[in-house]
């Protein structure tokens, strides 16, 4: 799994950080920062929940298979 996020459309809701801490963080303005672009398999489901919950579809994932 590869993760990317579009900071230009992020609306600083913080949901992704709550759902997958350690994968997502926020900068000083609150915009999303991906801190782990290739998370371990045990984190994938929480990342998918974060993607589904993002109100602006700002997070993209690419699955390995
Ligand atoms: S859930 Fe979406 S809008 Fe909210 S902080 Fe994360 S990337 Fe930004």
């Amino acid at each position: 799994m590869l993760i990317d996020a579009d900071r230009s459309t992020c609306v600083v809701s913080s949901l992704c950080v709550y759902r997958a801490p350690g994968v997502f963080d926020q900068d000083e303005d609150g915009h999303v920062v991906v801190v782990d672009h290739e998370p371990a398999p045990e984190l994938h489901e929480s990342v998918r929940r974060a993607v589904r919950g993002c109100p602006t579809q700002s997070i993209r994932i690419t699955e390995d298979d």
Side-chain angles (χ1 to χ4, degrees):
M1 173 186 280
L2 286 171
I3 305 173
D4 195 15
D6 186 347
R7 293 161 51 81
S8 70
T9 57
C10 173
V11 292
V12 191
S13 72
S14 306
L15 288 171
C16 59
V17 180
Y18 285 118
R19 290 184 171 164
V23 176
F24 302 102
D25 202 349
Q26 293 171 281
D27 66 13
E28 62 274 9
D29 296 322
H31 292 100
V32 65
V33 176
V34 180
V35 294
D36 185 357
H37 287 268
E38 296 185 67
E42 60 267 28
L43 298 175
H44 287 187
E45 191 48 44
S46 60
V47 170
R48 291 186 191 105
R49 280 198 297 274
V51 171
R52 288 195 296 270
C54 176
T56 56
Q57 291 84 50
S58 296
I59 308 166
R60 288 179 300 279
I61 57 173
T62 304
E63 301 280 0
D64 295 331
D65 49 6

